[in-house]
Amino acid sequence: MACGKTNQDKLDPLTAWELAAINLLLAVKPTADFDITASKENMLSLMESLDCGELDPALSDSGFIGKTEALLLAQLRGECITVSDPTTFAARREIFAAAQVIYHWAVAQNLWKMHPEIEKSINGDQ
């Protein structure tokens, strides 16, 4: 994973997921004052919202969970992700952790079927 590369037409999966997560936070807490550059704090707020059940509608949103799955598959496969935003890069562990928790919660609630590659990895088949 590299940082500081120039922006391309398409966002990398980490930045795209972080932006989707921030948009989700803004939707569930429209009066909150979020700093989009506070990536670590935003992921903590996201987890708090998940704990409070505020993200339940997003867990059945195939677009959001599909983007979450794509990010986790990129991580699992060891794909090179070039992140151009330094704050996103600095919070990459927190962003991946939040994505994992949300994905597994959606699967646990039977709102999404776990991808076979992720399942194999969890079961130690890889």
Side-chain angles (χ1 to χ4, degrees), residues 11-26:
L11 286 176
D12 65 90
L14 188 70
T15 303
W17 192 85
E18 180 190 20
L19 291 175
I22 291 169
N23 283 329
L24 183 57
L25 275 174
L26 291 170

Side-chain angles (χ1 to χ4, degrees), residues 43-114:
M43 293 304 110
L44 179 60
S45 292
L46 190 68
M47 293 299 92
E48 290 169 353
S49 293
L50 179 67
D51 287 343
C52 293
E54 297 170 338
L55 301 185
D56 289 353
L59 297 177
S60 57
D61 176 353
S62 63
F64 180 70
I65 299 299
K67 189 174 288 198
T68 304
E69 184 175 76
L71 174 62
L72 297 180
L73 286 169
Q75 180 186 34
L76 177 65
R77 295 170 180 157
E79 293 176 10
C80 180
I81 300 173
T82 302
V83 179
S84 54
D85 180 39
T87 58
T88 298
F89 181 78
R92 65 194 178 280
R93 289 179 187 91
E94 291 82 1
I95 296 168
F96 276 119
Q100 289 171 351
V101 169
I102 287 173
Y103 182 79
H104 289 290
W105 187 249
V107 169
Q109 298 299 312
N110 292 317
L111 300 171
W112 191 263
K113 183 167 173 37
M114 185 176 289

